[in-house]
Structure formats: C-alpha cells, structure tokens
C-alpha cells in the first residue's frame, strides 16, 4: 500500500485551512448582511413612495369628484 503524505493530519495545515474558511465565511456573511440591509432600505423607500402615491391619488380623486 502506498501512502501519501497529504493524507496525514497536519495540525498546522488544518488550522490554517480552518482559519481561512472561518475568515471567508465571516466575510461572506457580512457581505450578505449588507445586501439584506440594502434590500430592507429599498423596501422601506418603496413603502414611502407607495404611501405618497396613495395620498396624491386620494387628493386627485377628491378634486375630480368635488369632495
């Protein structure tokens, strides 16, 4: 049976890989959270615009129908 040195556990390499994965995951989670925040901000802006449009529509209807 031929053994390959890469199959042996090397704590320094495994620790480095684990650290890299953790750093990458932290970065990706942070980026995802930023996008969620941006999306939430846009949704809030859309709601504000929808409210403004509704108020304008109500005013237009009142004027057009003589209320």
């Amino acid at each position: 049976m031929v053994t390959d040195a890469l199959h042996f556990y090397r704590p320094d390499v495994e620790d480095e890989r684990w650290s890299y994965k953790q750093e990458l995951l932290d970065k990706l989670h942070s980026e995802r959270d930023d996008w969620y925040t941006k999306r939430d901000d846009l949704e809030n802006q859309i709601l504000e615009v929808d409210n403004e449009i509704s108020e304008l529509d109500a005013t237009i209807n009142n004027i057009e129908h003589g209320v």
Side-chain angles (χ1 to χ4, degrees):
M1 179 165 120
V2 177
T3 58
D4 185 349
L6 295 176
H7 291 116
F8 290 106
Y9 174 76
R10 291 185 44 205
D12 58 329
V13 172
E14 293 301 318
D15 289 346
E16 187 177 319
R17 287 180 187 154
W18 184 86
S19 293
Y20 171 75
K21 286 179 183 178
Q22 289 305 115
E23 289 173 15
L24 181 59
L25 283 171
D26 289 345
K27 180 182 174 186
L28 292 172
H29 282 280
S30 178
E31 186 176 338
R32 183 188 63 185
D33 292 345
D34 289 345
W35 281 110
Y36 276 126
T37 300
K38 288 177 185 179
R39 185 188 66 183
D40 291 344
D41 291 344
L42 288 171
E43 286 174 346
N44 288 337
Q45 289 177 348
I46 289 171
L47 288 174
E48 288 175 21
V49 168
D50 286 345
N51 287 338
E52 290 295 325
I53 290 171
S54 293
E55 288 178 20
L56 289 170
D57 285 344
T59 302
I60 289 169
N61 284 335
N62 286 341
I63 292 171
E64 288 178 343
H65 297 101
V67 176

